[in-house]
Amino acid sequence: MNFPEFLSETSLGRLSQWSELSRGTLRVSGLGISAVALMVADRFLKHPRTTLVLVRDYREGELWMENLGNIAGEDSVQFFPSPGLKPYERKLPFDGVMEERLRFFKEVGGSQPFIVVCPLDSFLMRLPSPGSLLRRMHTFKVGDIAEPSSLRQIFMDMGFREEPVVDGVGEFSIRGCIVDVNAYLYPHPIRLEFFGDELESIRSFDIFSQRSIDKMDSVEIFPHGEFTPTDRD
């Protein structure tokens, strides 16, 4: 029996009060993060539902992630990173942060419950409506029928910018029957190669040598950013 299984079948005395609380508020003081994390994990394992843990800053979030991951299991805990901006500040976060946030939206978009650790400044930021990023995701499959040039508007509506040759993340290019796109969540750019109007192959490729790396049957391209030019949220 592992620890999550042990915890789901064991009473922790007064620490189990929250897991047994069906409604109302339980006020707790004088406990460290480890003890409170044990209470959160205890309730989650006995009554699995998505749970939000609001923390002061990134450093405190790391402590919560470590404690909750050890107790409830790393697969049950997600961190929602802060973009590092003030609310409604007109700047773009670093690409690495944007990719982490997009990965978070992808992971929590299903039916599996999670414990979500969220810094306060991330909690205060404006967010897209629930499920909107998944709805704006575009899937390409080998055998799809489409005019290569028709992908231009699709990518532009998703926040990508067209360049003669793909270089940075968030760029795409269309050269005859070859469409390249450099999107979040992939370590290398993706090449869509058409034969006429049929999508004949999907491959990742090295951005410097242009050599193919992996062949794929399908690929999911998410919008470049949480809000795109077509948003009406």
Side-chain angles (χ1 to χ4, degrees), residues 136-199:
R136 295 199 303 271
M137 175 194 74
H138 200 96
T139 301
F140 296 96
K141 299 178 181 178
V142 171
D144 282 351
I145 302 299
E147 170 66 35
S149 61
S150 69
L151 273 58
R152 176 176 286 107
Q153 193 61 51
I154 292 175
F155 287 133
M156 292 180 69
D157 287 345
M158 294 172 72
F160 292 88
R161 64 182 181 275
E162 186 172 10
E163 299 289 348
V165 178
V166 163
D167 183 15
V169 178
E171 298 177 354
F172 77 96
S173 71
I174 299 178
R175 293 170 291 145
C177 63
I178 295 177
V179 179
D180 294 339
V181 58
N182 198 350
Y184 287 139
L185 305 183
Y186 294 98
H188 302 283
I190 303 298
R191 174 160 292 164
L192 311 174
E193 192 162 356
F194 289 80
F195 182 76
D197 291 343
E198 181 178 354
L199 181 52

Side-chain angles (χ1 to χ4, degrees), residues 196-215:
D197 291 343
E198 181 178 354
L199 181 52
E200 188 175 52
S201 71
I202 303 174
R203 295 170 290 168
S204 61
F205 67 94
D206 184 271
I207 201 168
F208 300 107
S209 69
Q210 297 290 305
R211 292 182 178 178
S212 298
I213 298 175
D214 292 316
K215 191 174 182 180

Side-chain angles (χ1 to χ4, degrees), residues 65-151:
M65 288 293 295
E66 181 180 358
N67 281 274
L68 289 170
N70 289 335
I71 301 169
E74 292 183 358
D75 292 340
S76 297
V77 186
Q78 293 284 338
F79 183 73
F80 186 44
S82 165
L85 305 175
K86 298 177 182 178
Y88 300 100
E89 186 176 3
R90 292 184 174 274
K91 290 175 61 178
L92 291 177
F94 292 114
D95 280 338
V97 174
M98 291 297 295
E99 187 165 34
E100 284 185 45
R101 287 169 65 89
L102 185 58
R103 185 175 288 109
F104 169 85
F105 286 121
K106 180 181 179 182
E107 292 293 332
V108 302
S111 58
Q112 179 184 348
F114 291 98
I115 302 174
V116 177
V117 178
C118 177
L120 181 59
D121 57 346
S122 187
F123 179 76
L124 295 175
M125 295 293 291
R126 182 190 176 208
L127 296 174
S129 60
S132 63
L133 287 174
L134 294 178
R135 290 194 298 270
R136 295 199 303 271
M137 175 194 74
H138 200 96
T139 301
F140 296 96
K141 299 178 181 178
V142 171
D144 282 351
I145 302 299
E147 170 66 35
S149 61
S150 69
L151 273 58

